[in-house]
Amino acid sequence: MASGSELIRRVREQIREVDPREVHDLLQHGNGSGNGTVIVDVREQHEYEEAHLPGARHVPRGHLESRIEGSAPDKDARVILYCASGQRSALAAKTLEELLGYSNVESMNGGITLWKDRGFEVEVPRSLSAEQRERYSRHILVPEIGLEGQMKLLGAKVLLLGAGGLGSPAALYLAAAGVGTIGLVDDDVVDLSNLQRQVAHSSDRVGMPKVDSAEISIHEINPDVKVDKHQVRLGPDNVMELIGGYDVVVDGLDNFPTRYLLNDASVRLSIPVVSASILGFDGQLSVFKPFDGPCYRCLYPTPPPAELAPSCGAAGVLGVLPGVMGLLQSVEVIKLVTGAGEPLIGRLLLYEALGATFTELKVRRDPQCPICSRDPSEISDEEMGVFPDYEAFCAG
Ligand SMILES: [Zn+2]
């Protein structure tokens, strides 16, 4: 039986090793992710959190078999593993090659210790408190979010336009997810007829401003969330000021004129908007990320017919439906903030609840779009939110 050090020596002869200098050059030239190379830190959580190589993903060696595919899905991609000194990563490299079928694995010689000795830069993440670590532990375990994604969520500012049917579930789940700042724009008060779907409010808060009621619910779930309340109606005079400074806007607006106004302002400020709408048993969802994909005006160059405008009178809605759509919005927000997955940019998702079908339509950017085909600085205040007279629109 070989001793531990003898085993490691033998394993190191069987695997390929790479010098920190080469890894450093790879990162320096921006090739680290560009050519598909994945750098994986196999140390324990506390070691990774102290400092790690820039852009390194974290898969502790104890969870290697179960989690590596989340961080390195392509088994033929170049995978560079490292630990503190190059021993654990050597053993991990052997496991990846022999048991998991990875074809191009290397272990960084000397680990992060030699990396630091050479004077190369490390990333020192801000750290979570013990309570935050526990609260967000199920996020941290997801490779696509992890500690880094959770830190991004905690640093994120998300604005909810409307604290009603769509805004309520979004507010609750985004608060639970640890979005650091949630802005609420709503000038309404809680009405008994809202409670069939607006779950951020409650029977004992009927008559209370929705922004105050939603703030209570948010803080009951997560006292760390900073809530910015705006008990106003979104209009041409305040839209730029309201949405400026936010990372993502969640559109839970119930009328088309304001949607156009929001679109024009968000393009001007280059802020992504996660938009959803509902009517009866039908829901729609899309992400409008200025200049990366189409804007709302590319999708709807002219407003839809008045009978499809829910705000033109009291339209009925299945109470659960805004819950479904508001949560789909929340998922898109988390993807935009953390960079995980493929946001719903240039795609319109249609949910038809009675038939239980999801349909996806491609939406292209309109090269003639009156707003997003232009330089944002050229869009004047007068051009924003240009829309037919709303009273006339609803009457028609
Ligand atoms: Zn456009």
Side-chain angles (χ1 to χ4, degrees), residues 263 294-298 365-366 369 371-373:
N263 178 70
C295 75
Y296 189 76
R297 280 188 194 270
C298 296
R365 221 174 135 189
D366 176 3
C369 174
I371 295 295
C372 81
S373 68

Side-chain angles (χ1 to χ4, degrees), residues 377-392:
S377 62
E378 289 171 8
I379 304 166
S380 68
D381 286 349
E382 292 69 38
E383 287 174 282
M384 289 211 315
V386 171
F387 192 82
D389 175 48
Y390 194 48
E391 298 290 317

Side-chain angles (χ1 to χ4, degrees), residues 29-68:
H29 297 111
N31 294 329
S33 53
N35 65 1
T37 300
V38 181
I39 298 176
V40 179
D41 188 321
V42 300
R43 297 175 300 158
E44 300 302 313
Q45 184 79 32
H46 68 273
E47 297 178 279
Y48 176 80
E49 283 167 20
E50 258 172 43
H52 55 256
L53 265 61
R57 303 185 188 175
H58 182 224
V59 184
R61 197 183 150 225
H63 297 279
L64 194 65
E65 292 83 354
S66 59
R67 292 197 204 150
I68 187 66

